[in-house]
Amino acid sequence: QLQLVESGGGLVQPGGSPRLSCAASGFSLRDYGIGWFRQAPGKEREGVSYISNGALFIKYTDSVKGRFTISRDNAENTVYLQMNSLKPEDTGVYYCARKVLYGSEYFEASKYDYWGQGTQVTVSS
């Protein structure tokens, strides 16, 4: 019954600041690290951000540092990605995924065992 559901995407103008949500069910989110990935049109999936269980270890890919903020609310079993100052190149399908309990390659998709269906973020005027 494990499930991850992303929400919060849509059409946004450049400079916009949507917040994506990743709601988990069937397991306790506080026990797992969670990653955000995105896939732009015509490009391969890339890691965007990672947050450890307990939120003491956080990573961002260079292109979003200073603009995106990952956080978690374990009481709500939800991880968030606050996206600020969006650019057209941020366009893509955003996925959250559950990190396996071993390995330190936080932006490698093979280190994640459960994925949401994704939410589309389109940055355009």
Side-chain angles (χ1 to χ4, degrees):
Q1 297 182 5
L2 278 66
Q3 188 174 355
L4 295 167
V5 179
E6 304 94 337
S7 62
L11 178 63
V12 60
Q13 294 185 356
S17 301
R19 186 183 70 167
L20 305 185
S21 298
C22 173
S25 60
F27 69 98
S28 179
L29 203 57
R30 64 173 52 88
D31 296 328
Y32 294 89
I34 298 294
W36 282 98
F37 292 76
R38 68 186 179 189
Q39 187 164 15
K43 295 185 177 181
E44 295 184 353
R45 180 174 47 189
E46 66 171 340
V48 176
S49 187
Y50 171 84
I51 186 168
S52 67
N53 61 310
L56 297 180
F57 181 72
I58 291 174
K59 291 287 187 180
Y60 300 98
T61 193
D62 287 343
S63 64
V64 309
K65 286 181 179 177
R67 299 189 298 122
F68 292 9
T69 302
I70 191 170
S71 63
R72 61 162 67 227
D73 186 340
N74 289 336
E76 297 293 330
N77 226 30
T78 301
V79 169
Y80 302 97
L81 185 67
Q82 177 65 58
M83 309 166 67
N84 296 324
S85 302
L86 283 186
K87 307 173 182 179
E89 48 263 49
D90 294 317
T91 293
V93 179
Y94 283 71
Y95 303 89
C96 65
R98 190 180 82 170
K99 177 74 167 58
V100 298
L101 299 180
Y102 55 88
S104 300
E105 297 294 336
Y106 302 104
F107 290 155
E108 290 192 4
S110 63
K111 302 301 183 182
Y112 293 79
D113 57 2
Y114 287 94
W115 295 76
Q117 295 301 304
T119 183
Q120 175 73 44
V121 176
T122 302
V123 185
S124 179
S125 299

